[in-house]
Amino acid sequence: MIVSKNKKAYYKWAFLPCLILISLFSCESNEIKIANDSKSFEWSQISIDTLEITPSRASQLGFFQVKDSSIYFVDQAYGLVEEFMLNGESDGVKKRELDGPEELMGVSELIPSREGFVIRHDWVFYFYDQDWNFLRKSVLQFPSSVSYDEIMDNPKGDYIGMYELQNYNARTVELPDGDLLTKLDVEHPIFNAFISRAYYRDSRVLGKIDMLSGKVKEIKITRPASYEAFSFVPFHNKFDFDVTKTNLIYVTHEIDSLIYVYDQDWNLKESFGAAGKEMNTNYTQSQNLDVAFESNYFYASRKSEGFYKDIFVDEENELVFRTYRQGSDRQDLLDETYNPLRLQIFKRNKLLGDYSVPGKFKILGKVGVQYIADGFFDEQNEKQGFYILILN
Amino acid sequence: MKKKISILLVSLIGFFLLSFDNSNAQEISTGEGIALAGVALGVYNAIDENCDDKRKEGTLQTRCKDGGCVTVSCISFRKACDKADDC
Protein backbone atom coordinates (compact mmCIF):
# COMPACT_ATOMS: atom_id res chain seq x y z
CA MET A 1 0.00 0.00 0.00
CA ILE A 2 1.26 3.46 -0.78
CA VAL A 3 1.86 5.57 2.31
CA SER A 4 -0.21 8.74 2.35
CA LYS A 5 1.45 12.11 1.83
CA ASN A 6 0.55 13.26 5.36
CA LYS A 7 2.15 10.20 6.86
CA LYS A 8 5.19 10.66 4.71
CA ALA A 9 5.60 14.21 5.99
CA TYR A 10 5.23 12.99 9.56
CA TYR A 11 7.88 10.34 9.08
CA LYS A 12 10.24 12.88 7.53
CA TRP A 13 10.06 15.16 10.59
CA ALA A 14 10.16 12.29 13.05
CA PHE A 15 13.26 10.87 11.48
CA LEU A 16 15.01 14.19 10.89
CA PRO A 17 17.32 13.84 13.92
CA CYS A 18 18.19 10.32 12.78
CA LEU A 19 19.03 11.58 9.31
CA ILE A 20 21.32 14.23 10.78
CA LEU A 21 23.09 11.61 12.87
CA ILE A 22 23.45 9.30 9.91
CA SER A 23 24.87 12.09 7.77
CA LEU A 24 27.49 12.69 10.45
CA PHE A 25 28.71 9.19 9.73
CA SER A 26 28.95 10.06 6.04
CA CYS A 27 25.97 7.94 5.09
CA GLU A 28 22.75 8.75 3.37
CA SER A 29 19.46 6.94 3.60
CA ASN A 30 16.95 7.33 0.82
CA GLU A 31 13.65 5.66 1.45
CA ILE A 32 11.74 4.40 -1.51
CA LYS A 33 8.11 3.57 -0.97
CA ILE A 34 6.93 1.10 -3.52
CA ALA A 35 3.40 0.54 -4.62
CA ASN A 36 1.73 -2.76 -3.92
CA ASP A 37 -0.24 -3.36 -7.05
CA SER A 38 -1.42 -6.79 -6.00
CA LYS A 39 -5.06 -7.19 -4.98
CA SER A 40 -4.34 -9.30 -1.91
CA PHE A 41 -1.70 -8.45 0.64
CA GLU A 42 -1.21 -8.71 4.34
CA TRP A 43 1.18 -5.86 4.99
CA SER A 44 -0.04 -2.34 5.53
CA GLN A 45 3.26 -1.10 4.20
CA ILE A 46 6.21 -2.43 2.28
CA SER A 47 9.19 -0.19 1.83
CA ILE A 48 12.69 -0.30 0.46
CA ASP A 49 15.37 1.94 1.95
CA THR A 50 18.62 2.62 0.16
CA LEU A 51 21.48 2.93 2.60
CA GLU A 52 24.50 4.47 0.93
CA ILE A 53 27.89 3.52 2.30
CA THR A 54 31.30 5.11 1.98
CA PRO A 55 33.91 2.38 1.62
CA SER A 56 37.60 3.10 2.10
CA ARG A 57 38.04 2.56 -1.63
CA ALA A 58 35.29 1.94 -4.12
CA SER A 59 35.03 1.37 -7.85
CA GLN A 60 31.28 0.66 -7.89
CA LEU A 61 32.19 -2.74 -9.31
CA GLY A 62 31.25 -5.24 -6.67
CA PHE A 63 28.54 -6.75 -4.56
CA PHE A 64 27.22 -7.11 -1.02
CA GLN A 65 26.87 -10.11 1.28
CA VAL A 66 25.25 -10.64 4.66
CA LYS A 67 26.49 -12.72 7.58
CA ASP A 68 24.77 -12.58 10.95
CA SER A 69 24.10 -8.88 11.54
CA SER A 70 26.93 -7.54 9.40
CA ILE A 71 26.94 -6.45 5.78
CA TYR A 72 30.05 -6.99 3.69
CA PHE A 73 30.90 -4.92 0.66
CA VAL A 74 33.17 -6.61 -1.86
CA ASP A 75 34.90 -4.25 -4.26
CA GLN A 76 36.07 -6.53 -7.03
CA ALA A 77 38.24 -3.98 -8.81
CA TYR A 78 40.25 -3.14 -5.70
CA GLY A 79 39.99 -6.66 -4.27
CA LEU A 80 38.66 -5.54 -0.87
CA VAL A 81 36.18 -6.98 1.60
CA GLU A 82 34.92 -4.32 3.99
CA GLU A 83 32.49 -4.89 6.84
CA PHE A 84 29.62 -2.51 7.56
CA MET A 85 27.06 -2.31 10.30
CA LEU A 86 23.38 -2.04 9.57
CA ASN A 87 23.51 1.73 10.05
CA GLY A 88 26.07 1.98 7.27
CA GLU A 89 29.07 2.59 9.50
CA SER A 90 32.28 0.85 8.42
CA ASP A 91 33.95 -1.68 10.69
CA GLY A 92 37.03 -1.71 8.52
CA VAL A 93 38.55 -3.66 5.66
CA LYS A 94 38.68 -7.32 6.63
CA LYS A 95 40.43 -8.83 3.64
CA ARG A 96 42.33 -7.60 0.66
CA GLU A 97 43.74 -9.61 -2.22
CA LEU A 98 47.45 -10.48 -2.28
CA ASP A 99 47.60 -9.79 1.47
CA GLY A 100 48.63 -12.83 3.50
CA PRO A 101 50.02 -16.30 2.98
CA GLU A 102 47.12 -17.55 0.91
CA GLU A 103 47.81 -15.29 -2.08
CA LEU A 104 44.17 -14.49 -2.65
CA MET A 105 43.95 -13.34 -6.27
CA GLY A 106 40.48 -11.83 -6.26
CA VAL A 107 36.94 -12.25 -4.98
CA SER A 108 34.31 -13.86 -7.20
CA GLU A 109 32.03 -14.85 -4.32
CA LEU A 110 31.89 -14.32 -0.57
CA ILE A 111 30.24 -17.29 1.14
CA PRO A 112 29.23 -17.11 4.82
CA SER A 113 30.06 -20.30 6.72
CA ARG A 114 29.79 -21.57 10.27
CA GLU A 115 33.59 -21.64 10.43
CA GLY A 116 33.76 -18.05 9.27
CA PHE A 117 33.98 -17.17 5.60
CA VAL A 118 34.77 -18.78 2.28
CA ILE A 119 36.01 -16.70 -0.63
CA ARG A 120 35.74 -18.18 -4.09
CA HIS A 121 38.01 -16.79 -6.75
CA ASP A 122 37.43 -18.52 -10.06
CA TRP A 123 37.68 -22.21 -9.19
CA VAL A 124 39.63 -21.80 -5.96
CA PHE A 125 38.04 -21.70 -2.50
CA TYR A 126 39.83 -19.87 0.33
CA PHE A 127 38.65 -20.69 3.86
CA TYR A 128 38.85 -18.24 6.79
CA ASP A 129 37.79 -18.29 10.42
CA GLN A 130 35.55 -15.67 12.06
CA ASP A 131 38.53 -13.33 12.48
CA TRP A 132 39.59 -13.71 8.86
CA ASN A 133 42.58 -15.88 9.67
CA PHE A 134 43.44 -18.06 6.68
CA LEU A 135 42.71 -21.75 7.26
CA ARG A 136 43.19 -23.56 3.95
CA LYS A 137 42.31 -23.50 0.28
CA SER A 138 41.11 -26.02 -2.26
CA VAL A 139 40.64 -26.12 -6.02
CA LEU A 140 37.25 -26.98 -7.45
CA GLN A 141 37.54 -30.32 -9.22
CA PHE A 142 35.13 -32.42 -11.23
CA PRO A 143 36.54 -35.94 -10.83
CA SER A 144 35.66 -38.38 -13.56
CA SER A 145 34.75 -42.01 -13.05
CA VAL A 146 34.83 -42.76 -16.78
CA SER A 147 37.50 -42.32 -19.44
CA TYR A 148 38.07 -39.12 -21.34
CA ASP A 149 37.06 -40.88 -24.56
CA GLU A 150 33.81 -42.06 -23.03
CA ILE A 151 32.98 -38.51 -21.90
CA MET A 152 33.71 -37.10 -25.34
CA ASP A 153 31.98 -39.79 -27.39
CA ASN A 154 29.05 -40.72 -25.19
CA PRO A 155 28.20 -37.86 -22.80
CA LYS A 156 25.66 -38.62 -20.11
CA GLY A 157 24.05 -36.33 -17.54
CA ASP A 158 25.57 -38.18 -14.61
CA TYR A 159 29.19 -37.86 -15.75
CA ILE A 160 30.60 -35.42 -13.19
CA GLY A 161 33.80 -35.04 -15.21
CA MET A 162 32.19 -32.95 -17.94
CA TYR A 163 30.65 -30.25 -15.73
CA GLU A 164 31.82 -26.75 -14.90
CA LEU A 165 30.88 -23.94 -12.55
CA GLN A 166 27.95 -21.75 -13.61
CA ASN A 167 29.73 -18.40 -13.51
CA TYR A 168 26.82 -16.17 -14.50
CA ASN A 169 24.99 -15.04 -11.36
CA ALA A 170 26.93 -17.68 -9.44
CA ARG A 171 25.78 -18.77 -6.03
CA THR A 172 27.52 -21.11 -3.61
CA VAL A 173 26.14 -21.86 -0.16
CA GLU A 174 27.27 -23.92 2.77
CA LEU A 175 25.00 -26.86 3.55
CA PRO A 176 24.16 -27.95 7.11
CA ASP A 177 26.65 -30.84 6.79
CA GLY A 178 29.47 -28.41 5.97
CA ASP A 179 29.74 -29.19 2.26
CA LEU A 180 29.21 -26.51 -0.35
CA LEU A 181 26.43 -26.42 -2.93
CA THR A 182 26.95 -24.55 -6.19
CA LYS A 183 25.40 -24.02 -9.62
CA LEU A 184 26.63 -26.16 -12.49
CA ASP A 185 26.65 -26.04 -16.26
CA VAL A 186 27.99 -28.29 -18.98
CA GLU A 187 29.22 -27.19 -22.39
CA HIS A 188 30.23 -30.40 -24.04
CA PRO A 189 30.49 -30.08 -27.84
CA ILE A 190 27.47 -32.35 -28.37
CA PHE A 191 25.77 -32.07 -24.96
CA ASN A 192 24.96 -28.42 -24.37
CA ALA A 193 22.13 -25.88 -24.20
CA PHE A 194 22.41 -24.91 -27.88
CA ILE A 195 21.86 -28.19 -29.70
CA SER A 196 21.10 -30.99 -27.27
CA ARG A 197 17.72 -32.06 -25.90
CA ALA A 198 19.55 -34.46 -23.59
CA TYR A 199 21.08 -31.39 -21.93
CA TYR A 200 17.64 -30.11 -20.91
CA ARG A 201 16.43 -33.53 -19.79
CA ASP A 202 19.48 -35.03 -18.11
CA SER A 203 22.06 -32.43 -17.17
CA ARG A 204 22.26 -31.69 -13.45
CA VAL A 205 22.11 -28.14 -12.14
CA LEU A 206 23.54 -28.38 -8.62
CA GLY A 207 26.82 -29.82 -7.39
CA LYS A 208 27.76 -30.77 -3.86
CA ILE A 209 31.41 -29.98 -3.15
CA ASP A 210 33.53 -31.61 -0.48
CA MET A 211 34.69 -28.64 1.57
CA LEU A 212 38.12 -30.11 2.29
CA SER A 213 39.16 -31.48 -1.09
CA GLY A 214 37.19 -29.18 -3.39
CA LYS A 215 35.95 -32.23 -5.30
CA VAL A 216 32.38 -32.32 -6.56
CA LYS A 217 31.04 -35.51 -5.07
CA GLU A 218 27.40 -35.37 -6.09
CA ILE A 219 25.47 -33.70 -8.90
CA LYS A 220 21.73 -33.36 -8.49
CA ILE A 221 18.44 -32.02 -9.89
CA THR A 222 17.59 -31.82 -13.59
CA ARG A 223 15.68 -29.07 -15.35
CA PRO A 224 11.86 -29.21 -15.28
CA ALA A 225 9.77 -30.60 -18.14
CA SER A 226 8.69 -27.05 -18.99
CA TYR A 227 11.86 -26.73 -21.07
CA GLU A 228 10.28 -29.22 -23.49
CA ALA A 229 8.02 -26.44 -24.73
CA PHE A 230 11.01 -24.88 -26.50
CA SER A 231 13.56 -26.18 -28.94
CA PHE A 232 16.68 -24.73 -27.32
CA VAL A 233 16.77 -21.63 -25.11
CA PRO A 234 20.49 -21.39 -24.31
CA PHE A 235 20.30 -17.84 -22.93
CA HIS A 236 17.74 -18.90 -20.33
CA ASN A 237 19.19 -22.18 -19.12
CA LYS A 238 20.05 -20.40 -15.88
CA PHE A 239 18.39 -20.78 -12.51
CA ASP A 240 18.74 -19.85 -8.86
CA PHE A 241 18.36 -21.68 -5.57
CA ASP A 242 18.24 -21.18 -1.83
CA VAL A 243 18.73 -23.65 1.00
CA THR A 244 16.80 -23.39 4.27
CA LYS A 245 17.99 -24.22 7.77
CA THR A 246 15.99 -27.46 7.60
CA ASN A 247 17.86 -28.35 4.41
CA LEU A 248 15.05 -27.80 1.93
CA ILE A 249 16.28 -26.64 -1.46
CA TYR A 250 14.17 -24.14 -3.41
CA VAL A 251 14.95 -23.87 -7.12
CA THR A 252 13.62 -21.43 -9.71
CA HIS A 253 14.40 -21.71 -13.43
CA GLU A 254 14.42 -18.75 -15.78
CA ILE A 255 11.64 -19.88 -18.12
CA ASP A 256 9.40 -21.55 -15.54
CA SER A 257 6.92 -19.76 -13.27
CA LEU A 258 7.00 -22.65 -10.81
CA ILE A 259 9.32 -22.88 -7.83
CA TYR A 260 10.49 -26.43 -7.07
CA VAL A 261 11.17 -27.59 -3.51
CA TYR A 262 13.44 -30.57 -2.83
CA ASP A 263 13.99 -32.34 0.45
CA GLN A 264 17.38 -33.21 1.94
CA ASP A 265 17.42 -36.44 -0.08
CA TRP A 266 16.99 -34.37 -3.26
CA ASN A 267 13.48 -35.67 -3.84
CA LEU A 268 10.93 -33.23 -5.26
CA LYS A 269 8.65 -32.34 -2.37
CA GLU A 270 6.34 -29.79 -3.98
CA SER A 271 6.12 -27.00 -6.50
CA PHE A 272 4.22 -23.75 -6.54
CA GLY A 273 4.39 -20.38 -8.23
CA ALA A 274 2.68 -17.71 -10.22
CA ALA A 275 3.43 -16.14 -13.58
CA GLY A 276 4.96 -12.70 -13.63
CA LYS A 277 3.19 -9.71 -15.08
CA GLU A 278 3.57 -8.71 -18.72
CA MET A 279 6.65 -10.81 -19.32
CA ASN A 280 8.04 -11.08 -22.83
CA THR A 281 8.44 -14.85 -23.15
CA ASN A 282 9.04 -14.84 -26.88
CA TYR A 283 12.43 -16.41 -26.33
CA THR A 284 15.23 -16.58 -28.84
CA GLN A 285 15.60 -20.25 -29.72
CA SER A 286 18.65 -21.82 -31.31
CA GLN A 287 19.05 -24.75 -33.67
CA ASN A 288 22.82 -24.80 -33.80
CA LEU A 289 25.99 -23.57 -32.17
CA ASP A 290 26.53 -20.41 -34.19
CA VAL A 291 24.76 -18.15 -31.68
CA ALA A 292 27.11 -19.36 -28.96
CA PHE A 293 29.97 -17.46 -30.57
CA GLU A 294 28.18 -14.15 -30.94
CA SER A 295 27.86 -12.31 -27.61
CA ASN A 296 25.31 -9.86 -29.04
CA TYR A 297 22.63 -12.55 -29.10
CA PHE A 298 23.27 -13.24 -25.45
CA TYR A 299 23.13 -9.56 -24.45
CA ALA A 300 20.00 -8.84 -26.52
CA SER A 301 18.21 -11.81 -25.04
CA ARG A 302 19.01 -10.80 -21.47
CA LYS A 303 17.82 -7.25 -22.02
CA SER A 304 14.67 -7.78 -24.08
CA GLU A 305 13.20 -11.02 -22.72
CA GLY A 306 11.40 -11.79 -19.48
CA PHE A 307 12.63 -14.46 -17.12
CA TYR A 308 12.56 -15.52 -13.47
CA LYS A 309 15.71 -14.70 -11.59
CA ASP A 310 16.69 -14.83 -7.90
CA ILE A 311 15.09 -16.57 -4.95
CA PHE A 312 15.30 -16.08 -1.18
CA VAL A 313 13.45 -18.12 1.44
CA ASP A 314 12.51 -16.86 4.91
CA GLU A 315 11.57 -20.24 6.33
CA GLU A 316 10.68 -18.94 9.77
CA ASN A 317 7.94 -16.72 8.39
CA GLU A 318 7.00 -19.08 5.54
CA LEU A 319 7.88 -16.44 2.98
CA VAL A 320 9.50 -16.93 -0.41
CA PHE A 321 10.82 -13.97 -2.40
CA ARG A 322 11.48 -14.30 -6.11
CA THR A 323 12.44 -11.68 -8.66
CA TYR A 324 11.75 -11.69 -12.37
CA ARG A 325 12.56 -9.50 -15.32
CA GLN A 326 9.75 -8.46 -17.64
CA GLY A 327 11.72 -7.76 -20.80
CA SER A 328 11.99 -4.45 -22.60
CA ASP A 329 11.47 -3.07 -26.10
CA ARG A 330 14.08 -0.39 -25.54
CA GLN A 331 17.14 -0.75 -27.71
CA ASP A 332 19.39 1.52 -25.65
CA LEU A 333 19.65 -0.51 -22.45
CA LEU A 334 23.24 -0.89 -21.31
CA ASP A 335 22.85 -4.33 -19.77
CA GLU A 336 20.48 -6.79 -18.13
CA THR A 337 20.14 -4.73 -14.97
CA TYR A 338 18.08 -2.14 -16.90
CA ASN A 339 15.57 -4.83 -17.89
CA PRO A 340 12.62 -4.06 -15.54
CA LEU A 341 12.75 -6.17 -12.38
CA ARG A 342 9.85 -7.14 -10.13
CA LEU A 343 9.62 -8.98 -6.83
CA GLN A 344 7.05 -11.66 -6.02
CA ILE A 345 6.35 -12.51 -2.39
CA PHE A 346 4.75 -15.84 -1.57
CA LYS A 347 3.41 -16.85 1.82
CA ARG A 348 2.65 -20.54 2.40
CA ASN A 349 3.12 -20.96 -1.36
CA LYS A 350 0.46 -18.37 -2.25
CA LEU A 351 1.34 -15.18 -4.08
CA LEU A 352 0.69 -12.20 -1.84
CA GLY A 353 2.37 -9.39 -3.68
CA ASP A 354 4.18 -8.38 -6.86
CA TYR A 355 6.24 -5.20 -6.71
CA SER A 356 8.53 -3.20 -8.96
CA VAL A 357 12.07 -3.11 -7.52
CA PRO A 358 15.43 -1.56 -8.53
CA GLY A 359 17.33 -3.28 -11.34
CA LYS A 360 20.00 -5.00 -9.23
CA PHE A 361 17.74 -5.87 -6.32
CA LYS A 362 18.59 -9.28 -4.85
CA ILE A 363 17.73 -10.31 -1.28
CA LEU A 364 20.80 -11.64 0.52
CA GLY A 365 19.68 -12.23 4.08
CA LYS A 366 17.64 -11.06 7.01
CA VAL A 367 18.79 -9.03 10.01
CA GLY A 368 16.04 -8.73 12.61
CA VAL A 369 12.93 -7.82 10.68
CA GLN A 370 14.88 -6.26 7.84
CA TYR A 371 15.72 -7.98 4.59
CA ILE A 372 19.08 -6.87 3.20
CA ALA A 373 19.43 -6.75 -0.57
CA ASP A 374 22.17 -6.16 -3.12
CA GLY A 375 22.69 -3.49 -4.30
CA PHE A 376 22.80 0.10 -5.42
CA PHE A 377 25.71 1.11 -7.66
CA ASP A 378 25.99 4.49 -9.37
CA GLU A 379 29.27 4.65 -11.26
CA GLN A 380 28.69 8.16 -12.61
CA ASN A 381 28.21 9.69 -9.17
CA GLU A 382 30.52 7.19 -7.45
CA LYS A 383 27.92 5.97 -4.98
CA GLN A 384 27.01 2.54 -3.70
CA GLY A 385 24.79 1.06 -1.05
CA PHE A 386 22.53 -1.76 -0.06
CA TYR A 387 18.76 -1.99 0.13
CA ILE A 388 16.70 -2.66 3.23
CA LEU A 389 13.28 -4.16 2.62
CA ILE A 390 10.77 -3.94 5.46
CA LEU A 391 7.32 -5.51 5.63
CA ASN A 392 5.07 -3.87 8.18
CA MET B 1 52.73 -42.15 -62.82
CA LYS B 2 53.67 -39.68 -60.04
CA LYS B 3 51.54 -37.06 -61.75
CA LYS B 4 48.50 -39.38 -61.73
CA ILE B 5 48.96 -40.17 -58.06
CA SER B 6 49.22 -36.44 -57.29
CA ILE B 7 46.03 -35.69 -59.21
CA LEU B 8 44.27 -38.56 -57.41
CA LEU B 9 45.41 -37.29 -54.00
CA VAL B 10 44.35 -33.71 -54.73
CA SER B 11 40.95 -34.97 -55.92
CA LEU B 12 40.46 -37.07 -52.80
CA ILE B 13 41.45 -34.21 -50.49
CA GLY B 14 39.19 -31.82 -52.40
CA PHE B 15 36.28 -34.27 -52.21
CA PHE B 16 36.84 -34.71 -48.50
CA LEU B 17 37.02 -30.97 -47.82
CA LEU B 18 33.89 -30.25 -49.84
CA SER B 19 31.97 -32.97 -48.04
CA PHE B 20 33.12 -31.63 -44.69
CA ASP B 21 32.11 -28.10 -45.60
CA ASN B 22 28.63 -29.13 -46.79
CA SER B 23 27.83 -31.05 -43.64
CA ASN B 24 28.56 -27.99 -41.53
CA ALA B 25 26.66 -25.65 -43.84
CA GLN B 26 23.53 -27.75 -43.39
CA GLU B 27 23.90 -27.71 -39.66
CA ILE B 28 24.00 -23.96 -39.39
CA SER B 29 21.83 -23.01 -42.36
CA THR B 30 18.82 -22.19 -40.21
CA GLY B 31 20.75 -20.00 -37.81
CA GLU B 32 21.44 -16.29 -37.78
CA GLY B 33 24.66 -14.31 -37.70
CA ILE B 34 28.16 -15.57 -38.06
CA ALA B 35 28.21 -19.26 -38.87
CA LEU B 36 30.86 -20.66 -36.61
CA ALA B 37 29.68 -24.17 -35.93
CA GLY B 38 32.81 -25.36 -37.70
CA VAL B 39 34.85 -23.68 -35.01
CA ALA B 40 33.15 -25.84 -32.42
CA LEU B 41 33.96 -28.94 -34.38
CA GLY B 42 37.54 -27.74 -34.63
CA VAL B 43 37.68 -27.19 -30.90
CA TYR B 44 36.18 -30.63 -30.39
CA ASN B 45 38.96 -32.17 -32.46
CA ALA B 46 41.66 -30.01 -30.96
CA ILE B 47 40.80 -30.53 -27.30
CA ASP B 48 43.93 -31.55 -25.55
CA GLU B 49 43.30 -35.02 -24.27
CA ASN B 50 45.51 -34.27 -21.32
CA CYS B 51 43.58 -31.22 -20.17
CA ASP B 52 42.47 -32.92 -16.97
CA ASP B 53 46.10 -33.61 -16.15
CA LYS B 54 46.85 -29.94 -16.64
CA ARG B 55 44.11 -29.08 -14.18
CA LYS B 56 45.92 -30.96 -11.48
CA GLU B 57 48.88 -28.63 -12.01
CA GLY B 58 46.60 -25.66 -11.54
CA THR B 59 46.14 -24.69 -15.17
CA LEU B 60 42.56 -23.69 -15.74
CA GLN B 61 41.18 -22.84 -19.13
CA THR B 62 39.38 -19.60 -19.89
CA ARG B 63 36.84 -19.28 -22.69
CA CYS B 64 34.31 -16.70 -23.90
CA LYS B 65 30.98 -17.43 -22.22
CA ASP B 66 27.92 -15.35 -21.30
CA GLY B 67 29.67 -12.16 -22.31
CA GLY B 68 32.79 -12.72 -20.25
CA CYS B 69 36.10 -14.57 -20.30
CA VAL B 70 35.61 -17.19 -17.64
CA THR B 71 37.10 -20.42 -16.36
CA VAL B 72 35.41 -23.43 -17.90
CA SER B 73 35.72 -27.18 -18.17
CA CYS B 74 38.52 -28.36 -20.43
CA ILE B 75 35.96 -30.00 -22.74
CA SER B 76 34.10 -26.73 -23.39
CA PHE B 77 33.34 -25.98 -27.04
CA ARG B 78 33.78 -22.23 -26.43
CA LYS B 79 36.42 -19.98 -27.98
CA ALA B 80 39.59 -19.52 -25.91
CA CYS B 81 40.35 -16.11 -24.42
CA ASP B 82 42.80 -14.39 -22.08
CA LYS B 83 40.65 -11.42 -21.09
CA ALA B 84 37.09 -10.13 -21.50
CA ASP B 85 38.10 -7.89 -24.41
CA ASP B 86 38.93 -11.01 -26.41
CA CYS B 87 35.25 -11.86 -26.41
Side-chain angles (χ1 to χ4, degrees):
Chain A
M1 177 183 281
I2 303 172
V3 176
S4 70
K5 284 183 180 177
N6 287 341
K7 276 189 175 178
K8 271 186 179 176
Y10 169 79
Y11 289 140
K12 276 180 186 172
W13 287 111
F15 289 110
L16 188 60
C18 297
L19 288 173
I20 293 169
L21 278 173
I22 290 169
S23 66
L24 286 174
F25 290 101
S26 303
C27 297
E28 291 178 42
S29 176
N30 303 317
E31 190 173 10
I32 304 169
K33 294 289 188 296
I34 58 175
N36 180 349
D37 39 18
S38 171
K39 287 180 181 173
S40 64
F41 54 90
E42 70 171 38
W43 304 287
S44 59
Q45 182 186 338
I46 171 171
S47 65
I48 297 177
D49 286 347
T50 307
L51 191 70
E52 289 183 20
I53 59 162
T54 308
S56 54
R57 294 185 82 182
S59 66
Q60 288 76 53
L61 297 172
F63 58 87
F64 288 88
Q65 183 55 281
V66 176
K67 178 176 164 58
D68 301 327
S69 60
S70 294
I71 289 94
Y72 294 86
F73 172 62
V74 177
D75 190 293
Q76 290 179 291
Y78 288 118
L80 299 174
V81 180
E82 188 165 350
E83 183 177 349
F84 288 86
M85 290 182 271
L86 198 56
N87 64 4
E89 190 179 344
S90 174
D91 198 29
V93 172
K94 300 299 177 183
K95 196 70 212 165
R96 60 183 81 226
E97 64 183 44
L98 299 175
D99 179 20
E102 70 274 24
E103 296 179 341
L104 176 68
M105 298 299 288
V107 184
S108 307
E109 260 191 286
L110 176 60
I111 306 157
S113 69
R114 278 181 295 284
E115 203 171 36
F117 305 87
V118 183
I119 287 178
R120 179 181 68 78
H121 177 241
D122 270 349
W123 285 24
V124 184
F125 294 101
Y126 299 79
F127 296 83
Y128 300 90
D129 67 13
Q130 303 285 355
D131 298 318
W132 288 96
N133 297 307
F134 174 65
L135 300 173
R136 62 189 178 279
K137 66 180 175 182
S138 59
V139 179
L140 178 63
Q141 298 171 67
F142 293 89
S144 184
S145 57
V146 296
S147 70
Y148 175 85
D149 288 341
E150 169 64 12
I151 285 180
M152 294 311 296
D153 297 338
N154 190 26
K156 290 188 174 67
D158 58 355
Y159 287 173
I160 294 178
M162 65 183 189
Y163 283 83
E164 63 190 35
L165 186 77
Q166 173 61 269
N167 283 284
Y168 195 85
N169 198 20
R171 175 180 287 198
T172 306
V173 302
E174 186 189 49
L175 293 170
D177 64 6
D179 287 334
L180 301 172
L181 191 66
T182 197
K183 298 180 185 178
L184 301 179
D185 194 16
V186 54
E187 296 217 312
H188 186 288
I190 57 172
F191 188 100
N192 58 64
F194 293 87
I195 57 170
S196 165
R197 284 251 54 89
Y199 170 92
Y200 290 96
R201 292 169 185 159
D202 300 330
S203 69
R204 309 316 199 254
V205 299
L206 293 174
K208 195 174 178 186
I209 305 164
D210 183 281
M211 66 175 294
L212 292 174
S213 67
K215 289 181 179 175
V216 174
K217 55 185 188 183
E218 286 181 80
I219 52 175
K220 296 289 183 181
I221 301 179
T222 54
R223 285 180 176 75
S226 49
Y227 274 93
E228 295 297 321
F230 305 94
S231 55
F232 307 104
V233 281
F235 306 127
H236 298 297
N237 61 339
K238 295 160 184 42
F239 56 94
D240 195 38
F241 73 98
D242 197 13
V243 182
T244 68
K245 287 176 183 171
T246 58
N247 218 2
L248 293 177
I249 301 160
Y250 286 66
V251 184
T252 182
H253 299 266
E254 287 201 350
I255 60 113
D256 195 332
S257 63
L258 293 179
I259 293 166
Y260 296 86
V261 187
Y262 298 85
D263 65 20
Q264 57 185 352
D265 297 320
W266 307 85
N267 298 312
L268 181 62
K269 184 171 171 275
E270 61 181 344
S271 61
F272 63 94
K277 296 179 177 181
E278 298 168 6
M279 292 175 72
N280 171 19
T281 57
N282 185 24
Y283 297 126
T284 303
Q285 299 183 53
S286 72
Q287 299 290 338
N288 48 57
L289 273 175
D290 59 343
V291 292
F293 301 98
E294 180 54 74
S295 293
N296 287 335
Y297 291 122
F298 170 78
Y299 290 128
S301 189
R302 305 297 295 180
K303 289 186 284 189
S304 66
E305 294 168 3
F307 52 91
Y308 300 93
K309 195 165 165 54
D310 298 312
I311 189 166
F312 175 80
V313 182
D314 175 2
E315 190 174 35
E316 188 181 348
N317 292 299
E318 300 177 282
L319 293 171
V320 175
F321 301 81
R322 180 178 61 175
T323 53
Y324 68 92
R325 295 201 184 280
Q326 293 178 289
S328 173
D329 293 332
R330 287 180 55 182
Q331 302 296 312
D332 59 342
L333 300 184
L334 288 175
D335 57 44
E336 179 192 317
T337 61
Y338 293 88
N339 184 343
L341 186 69
R342 295 185 68 88
L343 172 70
Q344 294 177 319
I345 305 180
F346 298 88
K347 177 139 190 171
R348 295 190 197 100
N349 300 354
K350 301 291 182 193
L351 181 68
L352 292 186
D354 188 322
Y355 313 90
S356 176
V357 290
K360 294 183 180 177
F361 187 88
K362 177 181 180 178
I363 297 181
L364 303 168
K366 193 179 182 191
V367 180
V369 296
Q370 300 173 316
Y371 297 92
I372 309 301
D374 201 1
F376 167 71
F377 296 96
D378 181 350
E379 288 180 62
Q380 281 192 326
N381 297 303
E382 299 185 347
K383 291 181 176 180
Q384 58 282 305
F386 55 86
Y387 297 115
I388 300 174
L389 182 146
I390 302 172
L391 306 173
N392 286 320
Chain B
M1 186 62 182
K2 279 184 180 175
K3 206 172 183 179
K4 284 182 181 174
I5 292 172
S6 300
I7 290 169
L8 183 65
L9 277 173
V10 168
S11 303
L12 281 172
I13 291 168
F15 176 77
F16 172 76
L17 286 175
L18 283 171
S19 303
F20 177 81
D21 190 44
N22 279 341
S23 64
N24 278 310
Q26 283 173 356
E27 188 181 1
I28 64 172
S29 59
T30 54
E32 298 175 330
I34 304 167
L36 286 173
V39 174
L41 190 60
V43 171
Y44 179 94
N45 292 331
I47 286 170
D48 184 344
E49 297 201 8
N50 295 316
C51 63
D52 286 329
D53 292 336
K54 284 183 180 176
R55 284 255 355 247
K56 288 170 189 167
E57 295 162 16
T59 306
L60 295 167
Q61 303 197 11
T62 48
R63 308 273 174 87
C64 293
K65 182 180 179 184
D66 295 341
C69 180
V70 298
T71 301
V72 297
S73 165
C74 61
I75 65 163
S76 171
F77 65 81
R78 300 277 186 169
K79 189 177 73 173
C81 58
D82 291 322
K83 55 188 183 305
D85 289 346
D86 298 339
C87 304

